[in-house]
């Protein structure tokens, strides 16, 4: 937890969660969940799921929580393995 926090896990069913602003969460194990809940955070996974918070313009209030498995979509963007995703400065969900 905390600003610029990083979390990485490897292994089946191994989950990663970050909650600070501008944080990074990445998992590579099968059926794992990579979760980033802080404003301006990023997520990536190899064989599992990503969960990410979308924020209101005030950058403090969560607007919606999005989740998808590799191969599925979040806001029209297909989640690829080992690619970093998040919301850009304009609030658009994108690859980084």
């Amino acid at each position: 937890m905390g600003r610029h926090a990083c979390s990485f896990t490897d292994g089946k069913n191994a989950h990663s969660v970050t909650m600070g602003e501008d944080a990074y969460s990445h998992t590579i194990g099968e059926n794992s969940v990579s979760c980033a809940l802080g404003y301006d955070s990023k997520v990536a996974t190899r064989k599992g799921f990503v969960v990410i918070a979308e924020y209101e313009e005030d950058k403090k209030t969560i607007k919606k929580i999005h989740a998808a498995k590799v191969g599925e979509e979040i806001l029209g963007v297909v989640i690829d393995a080992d690619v970093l995703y998040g919301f850009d400065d304009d609030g658009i969900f994108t690859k980084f």
Side-chain angles (χ1 to χ4, degrees), residues 18-21 36-41 52-66 87 90-91:
T18 57
M19 294 184 228
E21 180 181 335
L37 299 177
Y39 173 75
D40 198 28
S41 292
I52 191 164
E54 178 181 7
Y55 278 75
E56 298 285 353
E57 288 183 27
D58 66 6
K59 302 178 184 179
K60 296 177 184 176
T61 307
I62 293 175
K63 180 178 183 178
K64 187 170 184 177
I65 302 290
H66 300 274
F87 290 90
D90 296 318

Side-chain angles (χ1 to χ4, degrees), residues 2-95:
R3 192 165 193 225
H4 305 295
C6 293
S7 176
F8 174 84
T9 63
D10 180 6
K12 188 174 183 178
N13 298 314
H15 310 304
S16 167
V17 179
T18 57
M19 294 184 228
E21 180 181 335
D22 192 31
Y24 166 73
S25 177
H26 190 172
T27 59
I28 63 173
E30 183 180 343
N31 200 42
S32 58
V33 177
S34 181
C35 181
L37 299 177
Y39 173 75
D40 198 28
S41 292
K42 312 293 184 285
V43 291
T45 189
R46 181 171 295 166
K47 299 178 183 177
F49 298 82
V50 294
V51 177
I52 191 164
E54 178 181 7
Y55 278 75
E56 298 285 353
E57 288 183 27
D58 66 6
K59 302 178 184 179
K60 296 177 184 176
T61 307
I62 293 175
K63 180 178 183 178
K64 187 170 184 177
I65 302 290
H66 300 274
K69 186 176 184 177
V70 170
E72 296 178 348
E73 294 183 6
I74 292 178
L75 298 173
V77 178
V78 176
I79 303 302
D80 295 321
D82 292 322
V83 175
L84 199 59
Y85 293 92
F87 290 90
D88 66 15
D89 292 337
D90 296 318
I92 307 297
F93 187 73
T94 189
K95 294 179 181 183

